[in-house]
Each structure stands twice: as structure tokens, then as C-alpha cells.
Amino acid sequence: MMTHMTDAVPRRPASAYLEVRGGAPAQRYFTLAAETLIGRNDEDFSLPEDSIGLSDSRVSRYHARIFQSNGRFYLEDTHSTNGTFLNAFRLTPGTPYVLRDGSNIQVGGVYLRFRPAAVAQAPGSSERSSGYSSDYPSEIGRNEEFFDFSLTPANADGERAADVSMLFRAPEMTSPEISAVLDVSEVMEQLHIAQTDTTESNSQLLRRLRAMVQVSIGLGTESSREALFARIMAVIFDIFPTAERAFVVLRDRRGEGVAGFHPAAASTRTPGAENTVLVLSEVIVDEVVGQRRSILSTDVMDDQRFKGQESISQLGLRSVMCVPLLVEAEVIGLIQIDTHRQTHSFDQEDLQILTGIGAQVAVALKNFGLYEDIEQLFEGFVTASVHAIEERDPATAGHSFRVAEYSQRLAQAVDGSQHQALRDIRFSLEQIRELRYAALLHDFGKVGVREHVLIKARKLYHSQLDVLQERFRYARASLERQAYRELVYQHSELSPAEFRRHRGAVEARLKLEAGRLQRFMAIIRHANEPSVIDDQVNGELQAVADFVFPGEQGEAVALLNTAEFEALTLARGSLTPDERLDIQSHVSHTFSFLSHIPWTGSLAAVADIAHAHHEKLDGSGYPQGLKGDEIPIPARVMTVADIFDALTAGDRPYKRSLSVDKALDLLKHEAAHGKIDPLLVEVFIDSQAYRLFDRP
């Protein structure tokens, strides 16, 4: 039984449901029963009770089923013809897969998203813990976990399931073994004893343990190298209370020895005593890097390894520890801690602790490098994709990059705005990055638009105008043929003088007809431009359409056919209604494409933001007809940027660019008529977010 929504604005069901993200269904949600069949609406048979019927020819009569077992929901393809897709992965028929919050399902051309009952929010509650808040409630909170990156096959009763990468599936996998078990209550008791033990040694140990925990947490939570180093420098003097100076250097492969390293972080115990120039001992660096081992020297000046080394004496070191940052036998840097005042500041235990910290830092840095490589790779893919799209329509070259820049600037201006209605709206760095990717890819769906429609500059295609010009030549030839044929028929009945008079009259009439055809062609060329036409031009076009000429058999042939006349009488632009729908479909194509990309959590809303960038506050936009608060704030930001760039971009074949002032006036006009967000337009203008480097 299909679920029908009766409210003007559909509310989410209290139980588990499927959210419609694209395709034919008019409703927004399908409520799930203990077992729900998904199939095709067909007049020849009826689906069972508690079924979801879809009007899509690509959906089989009995396509898939969703069932509940042991508190979880599972999706199973019931041997459909075209297959069922979960997070862009085609399911093996007859095998159930676990559904998680945000799992994306494709059945034919219908896109659905699974939402369990646990995520249903009470009216008025916040849907997102940070950002996009206060006076601008948004549906963007639904996308907090937009993609589930794994598929989970399970047996029929759902008792055992294992996560498997979406790149492959192993039908039967056992649960991982537990390698160690900790009694948490016992651990907490020991920590409590350590806290109450006031002996100096135990207090020092507790302080070190706390500092080590902070380092470990920092390694797992910091999102940049700079933040990681700042965290380490902040706690390192708690771990080593006798240390006077600490620093981290990284290898940059610009040379050998000391020349191959550059400082990454440095700190001293005495505030304000940091040296601006970091000086390393080449002897120590060569030992640590060359031998890939940690060094402890309790008294550097008496250490036989460094006897006679000028660099050691010049630096004035007394005690030093230096450990390599080692990853897969490669030294990517080192950490050094030293003192200038006293010897025997560190012991073997200190060296072990610092070596452990170095190992963790090395792994973290390696991971940062991998993340940066992945980001650069993805950034390159996005940039190449945008360039590929713009190659199909050279007239819009640079549009996506400019919209991304405008959107970022406006988001940053909104984030810092003191306007009362915008004060609580915050864009984090991750959300601005999310908006940027959505803006870069917002027109990617143009790959699904026919190229001749995409680049259509005037109301008639070049081929149509060529055919029309040939018809004009044919009309002139036909009129001449008919006139001279009639003159020949009358020749025998006319005297030479009368024949000459008749011939002169025929030629004069033909000259008038030729002039009329020339005027008609001038009218067509004028009407063919994508500018707004008035009633006078429409009247002249009607005269052209009413004109007929004789065909081969003397039949009346129209100078303009119906399709040409309808195209030329378009009130605005160069596209017919069908062509405009084709162009508008690029938004749906964009959403379909972006929905198949496994975005990470911080980029989960990219597809939804791009999907809504042509929506209008009054509901007159497309493709979803969203209105008001249904439109996510990032999408509203991009709408302002997209309109402004479309108005001010360099001359295109179908329109001329407007000045910045004129474009801003049109933005105000759209805002005043309830189309776009007036507060965002105000911030866009006041902050001058529209001023790029290439603009005055």
C-alpha cells in the first residue's frame, strides 16, 4: 500500500521511512512496515498490502524488499531485471544488506534514502549541532551522514553481519577476534589510587600519563600539521619537566645532512625566549638519520661520541635527546629536546617515552601526507571535470570557478555578519569547503543536456536558418517561374507592343515581391535575436507566416512553418519551452551524478546544495519547487553568486553582460519580489563579496 501525504508541507513519519531524493514519486516519504515490498505500479495486478508502488518502467513488478529483523532493517533485491543499488553498489539478488541511517537506494530511476525511526526529530528541534542555525532553519541536517561507505551482507535472520568495503563483497565473514580485554573498573580504581597517592614519584608518573594521553588524543583529533605540532609543544614540557627547549624538524629532500631539514615547530620553557633561527648539530642529525636510532646524551660535553665537534660546543648543549620520525624505514624528520644549564636532565625512560611519541607523530604525519595527496587528487579531478564541462559550452568558461569564489566570500561575510537575523549562522571551514565543492560542480549535469541545446545562441539553430534562407530563394524562383509561365501562355494572344507592356509589368511585380522577401528576411533576422520582442515585431512575423508562394504543382507553400514561427515569437531568450526544460534538467543530472560519489562526513551535503541552487524562496524555482526554509542556507548563498555571475559574465552569444551596478540592482529586485534571500543579497553587497581580483 502506497503511503500518501496529506499535509501541504509533508512531515517526517515517526517510524522508519524512505525519503524520496529524485525520480517520479510525487510524495516525499514512504513509511516502512515490518516487511515492505518495492514494485512497479501495474494495471494487470495489485501489489500486496504495505508495498511501495513506483510508476517507472525500469522497476520490476516485484523488484526488492525491505524487512526488519532483530531491530535492524535490511534491503534485498528480489531478482529484479535492472537491479537494486545500495550506495551505488549493485546488490547480489537474494542477499540481504543492512541499511543504516543515510543509506542511498536506487530502484530504476527513483532515488531513495533510508531513515530509521531513531533519527526522527521533534518539531522545532535542531537538526544540526553546529552551523546553519538560528533564524535560518534548514533541511540540510538530514545529510549529516549522507553516505554509508560500506555494505553489510547478512544472513536471512540478520543475526550476524560484517562490514565490507563497497569495492568488494564477501558473503560470509566471521567477526574479528578480540586480542585483549581490559577490566575498565579495575583500571579506574588504579587511576584513583594513583591520584590519591601523594608521593613525588607517583605524582610525576601521573603527570606524565596525563600528558601522554593529551598527545595521543591530539594525534587522533587534530586536522592539520600546524595544530598537531601546537598540541605537542603545549604538553611536551609537562612530560619532560627538566627540558629547556624542544623542536620538530622535517625532511624536505632539498639536500643531505642538516641542509635537508627545515623547522616545523619549536618551543622553550621560558616564555619569549624562542630563538628565531634554529641551529642543529650536524653530528647529531647524521647519527639519528643515518643510523635511524634515538640518541640520549646525559652530558654532551663529556660524551665520547661528540668529542671535538665544534657544532656541539658552539651550541652549548648539556643534555639532549633526539629521536627519528620513522615511517617504513624512512626518516621523515626528528624531535629534539635539550638543555643548556645542567647535565643528566634525561634518563633512559625519558628516551623511550620520546621515541614512542616520535613513532606516533611519524604515523600521524604520514597520514596527513596521504590525506593531502587524496585531497590534491580529488581537487584535480574536480577541476578537470569542471574544465571538461565548460569545454562543451565555451561561452560559460570560468563560470563555475567564479561562482565558487563568490559563494566562499559570501559565506565568510555571513559568518562574520553582525546582523541580528544572521548572527547565529556560522560556517565552519569544513562547511565552506563543502559549499565550494558544491559550487564547482553545480553545473556538472550539463553532460546530460544535448549539446546543440546547450550552446544555442539564437531562437533558430544555424541549420534552421540555412533551410529558411533556401526556402526564400525557392519562393523567389517559384514566383518568377509562375509569372513567366503565365506570360508565355499569353504570348500568342498579344501583339509585340502588348507583350512588352505585360513583360514590364511582370518584372515590376517580381521586383516588388523580391523586395518584400528581403524585408521578410530582415524581420526574421531581427526576431531571431534572443532579446525581448514587442507587438510590432510579432505583427510583422505574422505577415511573414501568412505569406504563401506556389509550389511545383501550384499548391500554396508557407514561407514559415509552425515550429519556426513559434521559435521566432518567443517573448524572451532563445529557448523553446521544451528546450528550456532540457536545460533545467541539468540540475537533476547534477544531483544524480553527485549522489553516486561517496562523500565524507564533512562533505555529505554537496549533492543537496547543488541540487537546490535554482530553487526560489517563493517556490517558483526548479527542479523540486522548494520554498522558504526548505532551501538549505548554503544553496541560497550559491543562488546569489550564480545569478550575479550569470548577469555580469562576458558577452555570451545569447546575451550581453551587465555592469556590476545593474546586476546588483537586479539582485535587489529579485530579493524584493521574494525570489532570493534579501539578507544574503544585503551582505553580498555590503561586504563587496562580488569584487574578484579581475574586477575593478
Side-chain angles (χ1 to χ4, degrees):
M1 178 178 66
M2 292 183 63
T3 304
H4 297 278
M5 310 303 293
T6 57
D7 296 340
V9 179
R11 297 184 181 277
R12 294 183 230 178
S15 58
Y17 62 93
L18 296 180
E19 180 183 5
V20 177
R21 306 303 299 167
Q27 59 222 79
R28 299 282 294 279
Y29 308 104
F30 291 113
T31 303
L32 296 176
E35 181 170 359
T36 304
L37 180 69
I38 303 176
R40 185 178 73 244
N41 283 331
D42 199 318
E43 296 179 355
D44 297 337
F45 77 105
S46 298
L47 290 168
E49 195 77 9
D50 294 326
S51 297
I52 298 175
L54 302 176
S55 299
D56 190 321
S57 60
R58 291 166 289 183
V59 177
S60 301
R61 288 184 174 181
Y62 299 104
H63 196 104
R65 73 182 183 116
I66 296 176
F67 64 93
Q68 187 176 12
S69 178
N70 294 333
R72 306 186 76 176
F73 279 88
Y74 298 83
L75 172 66
E76 178 183 346
D77 180 86
T78 53
H79 299 275
S80 64
T81 302
N82 295 312
T84 304
F85 295 83
L86 176 61
N87 296 329
F89 181 89
R90 183 165 183 157
L91 304 186
T92 300
T95 301
Y97 290 78
V98 174
L99 290 175
R100 295 184 176 86
D101 180 21
S103 293
N104 286 272
I105 303 170
Q106 180 184 352
V107 179
V110 180
Y111 295 86
L112 307 164
R113 181 180 297 161
F114 173 72
R115 293 297 190 191
V119 300
Q121 306 243 354
S125 63
S126 175
E127 291 188 324
R128 192 164 186 164
S129 59
S130 64
Y132 317 142
S133 59
S134 186
D135 298 87
Y136 283 82
S138 167
E139 295 296 318
I140 198 169
R142 296 176 185 168
N143 305 320
E144 192 66 34
E145 296 181 6
F146 184 75
F147 274 98
D148 179 11
F149 302 125
S150 63
L151 300 176
T152 306
N155 55 22
D157 58 7
E159 289 182 351
R160 195 174 72 187
D163 287 346
V164 185
S165 167
M166 63 185 299
L167 299 179
F168 66 94
R169 185 181 66 82
E172 295 185 3
M173 293 182 66
T174 58
S175 300
E177 294 183 358
I178 299 175
S179 58
V181 177
L182 291 178
D183 188 332
V184 178
S185 61
E186 182 178 345
V187 172
M188 296 303 294
E189 182 179 353
Q190 293 298 323
L191 285 176
H192 178 71
I193 293 174
Q195 288 178 318
T196 56
D197 189 345
T198 58
T199 62
E200 181 179 354
S201 60
N202 199 70
S203 297
Q204 185 177 11
L205 175 61
L206 185 59
R207 184 176 63 252
R208 286 192 176 191
L209 288 174
R210 287 173 175 171
M212 287 293 293
V213 168
Q214 292 183 50
V215 172
S216 299
I217 293 175
L219 292 175
T221 60
E222 300 299 347
S223 58
S224 68
R225 295 172 186 259
E226 293 74 15
L228 173 68
F229 292 141
R231 175 69 67 90
I232 293 173
M233 292 294 107
V235 300
I236 202 165
F237 292 113
D238 285 337
I239 300 176
F240 306 104
T242 59
E244 297 174 7
R245 189 178 70 151
F247 54 82
V248 179
V249 295
L250 297 180
R251 195 169 199 167
D252 53 19
R253 302 185 184 280
R254 290 180 297 182
E256 298 296 330
V258 175
F261 290 86
H262 66 276
S267 182
T268 61
R269 182 174 295 279
T270 304
E274 293 86 353
N275 293 323
T276 56
V277 178
L278 176 65
V279 181
L280 294 175
S281 168
E282 188 167 354
V283 177
I284 295 178
V285 171
D286 289 343
E287 178 77 10
V288 172
V289 175
Q291 302 299 323
R292 295 198 296 272
R293 63 187 182 187
S294 302
I295 286 180
L296 165 64
S297 181
T298 58
D299 189 345
V300 178
M301 303 305 293
D302 288 337
D303 197 321
Q304 295 300 319
R305 293 172 297 178
F306 308 131
K307 281 289 186 180
Q309 299 296 332
E310 293 184 5
S311 61
I312 298 294
S313 59
Q314 290 175 354
L315 292 175
L317 299 178
R318 303 303 303 272
S319 296
V320 63
M321 288 192 299
C322 188
V323 302
L325 303 180
L326 192 64
V327 176
E328 298 176 352
E330 178 187 4
V331 178
I332 63 174
L334 56 88
I335 298 178
Q336 180 170 312
I337 299 176
D338 54 45
T339 66
H340 291 76
R341 297 173 182 170
Q342 63 182 31
T343 61
H344 297 84
S345 298
F346 314 114
D347 56 24
Q348 190 68 28
E349 181 182 334
D350 291 326
L351 184 65
Q352 292 175 355
I353 293 175
L354 185 60
T355 301
I357 293 176
Q360 295 181 72
V361 171
V363 172
L365 291 174
K366 184 69 173 180
N367 289 337
F368 280 134
L370 294 175
Y371 294 149
E372 290 168 359
D373 290 343
I374 293 172
E375 287 184 0
Q376 291 177 4
L377 178 64
F378 184 72
E379 184 79 19
F381 165 75
V382 170
T383 302
S385 300
V386 174
H387 282 304
I389 296 304
E390 293 184 342
E391 283 293 325
R392 298 191 72 220
D393 186 8
T396 62
H399 169 71
S400 296
F401 294 101
R402 291 192 299 271
V403 170
E405 182 68 20
Y406 290 135
S407 298
Q408 280 186 260
R409 288 167 174 255
L410 178 53
Q412 290 167 345
V414 169
D415 187 64
S417 174
Q418 296 302 311
H419 196 291
Q420 184 63 38
L422 300 174
R423 187 172 297 171
D424 294 331
I425 298 178
R426 292 291 177 264
F427 284 89
S428 66
L429 292 177
E430 290 77 12
Q431 289 165 338
I432 290 179
R433 179 166 167 261
E434 181 181 63
L435 172 60
R436 176 173 174 272
Y437 278 128
L440 285 172
L441 295 168
H442 76 282
D443 278 343
F444 193 91
K446 287 182 177 179
V447 296
V449 179
R450 294 171 295 171
E451 188 167 4
H452 67 279
V453 176
L454 190 64
I455 63 175
K456 187 180 182 184
R458 292 175 175 81
K459 297 177 182 180
L460 296 178
Y461 295 104
H462 291 301
S463 59
Q464 289 179 300
L465 189 59
D466 291 342
V467 169
L468 195 55
Q469 289 175 326
E470 291 301 321
R471 193 182 304 136
F472 269 64
R473 296 189 183 96
Y474 176 56
R476 181 172 180 174
S478 296
L479 291 171
E480 291 176 349
R481 179 191 60 201
Q482 183 186 46
Y484 285 119
R485 182 179 293 173
E486 292 175 355
L487 187 60
V488 169
Y489 289 156
Q490 297 173 357
H491 179 267
S492 59
E493 301 176 1
L494 300 175
S495 65
E498 290 175 332
F499 180 79
R500 284 193 296 272
R501 287 195 301 274
H502 274 279
R503 180 179 177 179
V506 166
E507 289 176 347
R509 187 173 71 251
L510 288 176
K511 186 176 181 179
L512 290 174
E513 293 293 349
R516 182 191 292 184
L517 289 175
Q518 288 180 345
R519 290 194 302 275
F520 283 169
M521 180 54 68
I523 292 171
I524 288 174
R525 291 185 183 279
H526 174 66
N528 193 37
E529 296 299 324
S531 57
V532 179
I533 61 175
D534 52 28
D535 293 338
Q536 180 182 350
V537 176
N538 276 330
E540 293 172 342
L541 283 173
Q542 186 62 56
V544 178
D546 293 340
F547 184 87
V548 295
F549 62 90
E552 290 289 339
Q553 306 301 323
E555 75 280 8
V557 179
L559 199 57
L560 278 179
N561 61 37
T562 303
E564 294 164 344
F565 179 75
E566 290 178 351
L568 289 169
T569 53
L570 290 172
R572 185 185 297 270
S574 62
L575 300 176
T576 65
D578 288 341
E579 291 167 343
R580 190 168 298 280
L581 289 175
D582 199 5
I583 289 290
Q584 292 178 354
S585 70
H586 83 275
V587 182
S588 298
H589 292 315
T590 295
F591 177 75
S592 178
F593 167 77
L594 296 180
S595 293
H596 284 83
I597 297 177
W599 301 99
T600 57
S602 61
L603 299 174
V606 166
D608 284 340
I609 295 171
H611 198 200
H613 79 276
H614 275 299
E615 302 290 349
K616 299 296 175 63
L617 294 179
D618 61 358
S620 62
Y622 62 90
Q624 303 173 86
L626 303 179
K627 61 173 59 175
D629 293 338
E630 293 178 327
I631 306 173
I633 291 177
R636 298 188 223 173
V637 168
M638 197 203 306
T639 298
V640 174
D642 187 50
I643 294 175
F644 177 79
D645 187 70
L647 293 172
T648 59
D651 288 355
R652 299 180 182 179
Y654 47 85
K655 78 168 190 66
R656 290 185 176 182
S657 64
L658 299 179
S659 67
V660 170
D661 290 340
K662 183 64 175 177
L664 295 179
D665 287 341
L666 286 176
L667 284 178
K668 294 177 184 177
H669 179 271
E670 290 288 284
H673 286 75
K675 300 291 185 181
I676 59 180
D677 196 310
L679 290 178
L680 294 181
V681 171
E682 180 181 337
V683 174
F684 186 70
I685 296 173
D686 291 345
S687 66
Q688 296 188 343
Y690 55 84
R691 290 192 177 275
L692 299 184
F693 297 113
D694 58 345
R695 294 192 182 279

